[in-house]
Amino acid sequence: MNITTDTYSLFVLLLSLFTLGATLLAAYSIANAWRLRNIRLSWKCGKLFGYPLFSTLFLSFSIVVGGYVWSMEMSQYNIILGSYSWMGLSWFLASYFSTKVYVTDHGIVKNVNDPSQTIAWHQIRDYVEKPTEKGSEYIFIYEENGRLKTKNSRLIRLELLVPDEKCSKFDKLVTLKIGKTMSPVTGTSFDIKAFD
């Protein structure tokens, strides 16, 4: 065996491991999204027309290169480019589902893969709404465990940009779930970054 064969084998092994990892991450993200119940509202939050930027570009590039290789009949690269395309699709699905915001009867899920970005309605202690060009920015202040058990209970801040077309429905849900116990403070009277 020479160095070229060893390098190629290592490359194929790494590609296989990354493809397997991307597949498992996609399955995990999809399973987390499917297990959500009573979804009242959801929207895409990616940087590229609502889709995740880097995974969308990687998937597009993989498809373009795969199409080129197929049209040039370079069959020796089919397996490698098939792995790249599958990895791109898996990465895209994982990113898409993890950047999508879900509002349920039980709370707000900003990232299905990160429990710290999931808050129940009863955990919210205060919130601020600030209109922006693309919608409304909400800042929710909530307790880590939902109840103040000690003086050292931690308050956490969650920022959420609600698009224009979802603002009225989201505002109705917020009013229904927590509006009876508190009223919103509009962000026009002070600098919203003061909470940082």
Side-chain angles (χ1 to χ4, degrees):
M1 293 180 77
N2 58 23
I3 295 176
T4 307
T5 306
D6 290 343
T7 305
Y8 180 77
S9 299
L10 181 63
F11 171 75
V12 170
L13 176 65
L14 287 174
L15 180 62
S16 302
L17 291 174
F18 278 109
T19 304
L20 178 64
T23 303
L24 293 174
L25 180 61
Y28 179 70
S29 299
I30 292 169
N32 284 340
W34 279 350
R35 75 180 171 85
L36 293 175
R37 298 290 178 252
N38 304 325
I39 298 172
R40 303 283 296 269
L41 196 59
S42 66
W43 60 87
K44 300 178 288 191
C45 288
K47 304 281 187 203
L48 187 67
F49 306 108
Y51 294 99
L53 177 65
F54 294 113
S55 62
T56 303
L57 292 176
F58 184 82
L59 178 60
S60 301
F61 181 74
S62 298
I63 290 172
V64 168
V65 171
Y68 174 76
V69 166
W70 181 75
S71 68
M72 298 301 286
E73 298 179 1
M74 295 189 279
S75 59
Q76 68 269 23
Y77 298 111
N78 285 347
I79 292 175
I80 291 175
L81 287 172
S83 295
Y84 272 113
S85 297
W86 182 257
M87 184 171 37
L89 178 65
S90 297
W91 184 21
F92 173 80
L93 290 173
S95 300
Y96 175 77
F97 284 106
S98 66
T99 59
K100 196 170 180 180
V101 173
Y102 300 93
V103 182
T104 70
D105 282 336
H106 307 291
I108 300 169
V109 180
K110 189 174 178 186
N111 182 340
V112 293
N113 293 335
D114 186 3
S116 70
Q117 295 190 34
T118 300
I119 57 173
W121 293 116
H122 70 272
Q123 289 179 276
I124 297 173
R125 295 295 169 243
D126 199 4
Y127 72 99
V128 177
E129 177 187 1
K130 179 182 179 184
T132 64
E133 294 176 4
K134 297 179 180 180
S136 289
E137 183 178 6
Y138 282 80
I139 297 176
F140 293 98
I141 307 298
Y142 67 99
E143 294 176 34
E144 190 172 26
N145 296 325
R147 294 189 187 98
L148 280 173
K149 293 182 178 178
T150 66
K151 293 180 182 179
N152 297 331
S153 286
R154 206 172 87 157
L155 292 176
I156 304 171
R157 169 185 169 149
L158 177 75
E159 294 183 22
L160 189 65
L161 179 63
V162 182
D164 274 333
E165 64 271 7
K166 306 287 184 179
C167 280
S168 64
K169 290 181 181 178
F170 185 75
D171 192 46
K172 287 178 187 175
L173 276 171
V174 169
T175 302
L176 177 69
K177 297 297 183 179
I178 60 176
K180 296 174 186 169
T181 59
M182 63 184 78
S183 58
V185 177
T186 58
T188 56
S189 61
F190 59 90
D191 182 11
I192 203 162
K193 297 301 179 192
F195 284 105
D196 287 338

